[in-house]
Amino acid sequence: VNVVLWTPDGHRLQTGSQTGEFTLWNGMCFNFETILQAHETAVRAMSWSHNANWLVSGDDKGTIKYWQTSLNNVKIKEKAHKEALRGLTFAPSDLKFASGSDDVTVKIWDFARCYTEQVLTEHGGDVKCLEWHPHKALLASGSKDSLVKLWDVKSGKSVATLQGHKNTVTATRWNKSGRLLLTASRDQLLRVFDTRMNKELRSFKGHEKDITAAIWHPFHDDMFTSASYDGTIMFWLLDLETPQAEIESAHESAVWTMDWHPLGHILCTGSTDNTTKFWCRPRPGDTWKDRNKMAKQDMGPSTIEEVREMGGLSRRPEREHIPGIGRGGKTSF
């Protein structure tokens, strides 16, 4: 599973696979709904427009496709890039979108005409991720050259280069206010930049393998989540350097993608172990938090292990509760 993406209304989850298929899951009952052969090669990127009317997707061949909400394919742009697409992102107005590719370019597209307006070529390696600023004509991209670049979309010029990572940048994510940029890398570090000053605020280390995905919580502006090549998921708060909670072996292998439900109560992850998993906080009345606390304080190792098996979530004693997600169960497919 290369991409997971909630529909804007949160009713369904859509996944893109290595075989080029779209799979739709019911977002409330978590059951399978339909499967569609969307691309001839692996689906690498998907993005919904802000008005929720259009979906764009990209694949290993560099093809971009337009989809209606009914998943009716209305446009195909072949050879949009010379190599695999790695990211797609809409402008706040939905009139334009951007794409990033292993061909070392970022392209700005006119959505209505499916026409390339600008080609941004200042990266020195494959472009692995990109995201449009939530309010401005500003684009952030990360590359195999270990650099994060900020682009003025109107001029097509790079206005800033953010340095610090020592390996491929795998994620660039704006928080909802657009003040902070979260970056992740194969150097096992997460970094948060204040783009008003082009200054790094803090770096975060906790993963033992390459970080493969990262995302901000949709409501809590100081909370973000990351995942790594060994299948671990970690939850962070901006003011604290250590992860506040982690799910060890959440997947059997690399977690390539994650997305929060629009309401922020469910996190979905996709992995090379061919599973899509939904993670949520405990249901009302569940006593997991109390049992977990009691086990840590009063019970022996065997009982702690029993509690961990029930929830699958490992917590360090000094960590705090994370708003929006608890130490509950998961649904796996």
Side-chain angles (χ1 to χ4, degrees), residues 60-71:
D60 261 354
K61 291 176 62 177
T63 299
I64 292 176
K65 294 188 177 184
Y66 288 15
W67 306 84
Q68 295 174 321
T69 53
S70 61
L71 291 186

Side-chain angles (χ1 to χ4, degrees), residues 83-245:
E83 296 185 34
L85 271 100
R86 295 295 177 177
L88 290 164
T89 178
F90 271 94
S93 65
D94 289 333
L95 298 177
K96 303 179 190 297
F97 70 94
S99 60
S101 168
D102 284 351
D103 64 8
V104 197
T105 65
V106 174
K107 292 186 178 182
I108 309 299
W109 300 82
D110 179 282
F111 176 75
R113 296 181 296 163
C114 197
Y115 174 78
T116 306
E117 292 189 339
Q118 298 194 62
V119 180
L120 315 180
T121 59
E122 294 185 32
H123 272 299
D126 303 358
V127 178
K128 294 298 185 182
C129 53
L130 77 165
E131 188 167 63
W132 207 297
H133 190 280
H135 313 300
K136 300 178 181 178
L138 186 65
L139 192 68
S141 63
S143 168
K144 201 171 181 178
D145 61 9
S146 307
L147 300 177
V148 175
K149 286 187 176 291
L150 303 182
W151 307 87
D152 181 344
V153 177
K154 294 180 180 179
S155 67
K157 302 294 183 182
S158 173
V159 294
T161 299
L162 306 178
Q163 301 179 350
H165 286 296
K166 305 300 182 184
N167 208 325
T168 302
V169 179
T170 55
T172 52
R173 296 282 193 170
W174 297 99
N175 70 344
K176 65 177 182 178
S177 68
R179 293 189 304 107
L180 304 177
L181 180 68
L182 169 67
T183 65
S185 170
R186 292 182 62 185
D187 63 9
Q188 304 172 19
L189 290 176
L190 295 147
R191 298 181 186 272
V192 174
F193 295 88
D194 186 333
T195 55
R196 297 172 298 178
M197 301 178 289
N198 292 331
K199 178 182 178 182
E200 181 182 322
L201 292 183
R202 178 167 288 173
S203 62
F204 302 84
K205 182 171 178 60
H207 286 285
E208 297 178 356
K209 297 292 183 180
D210 303 356
I211 300 176
T212 50
I215 189 170
W216 291 95
H217 191 275
F219 290 108
H220 300 291
D221 224 15
D222 62 343
M223 175 186 168
F224 55 93
T225 310
S226 60
S228 60
Y229 196 79
D230 60 3
T232 299
I233 300 173
M234 291 188 176
F235 301 88
W236 308 78
L237 291 176
L238 187 60
D239 294 334
L240 301 171
E241 294 183 355
T242 56
Q244 299 305 291

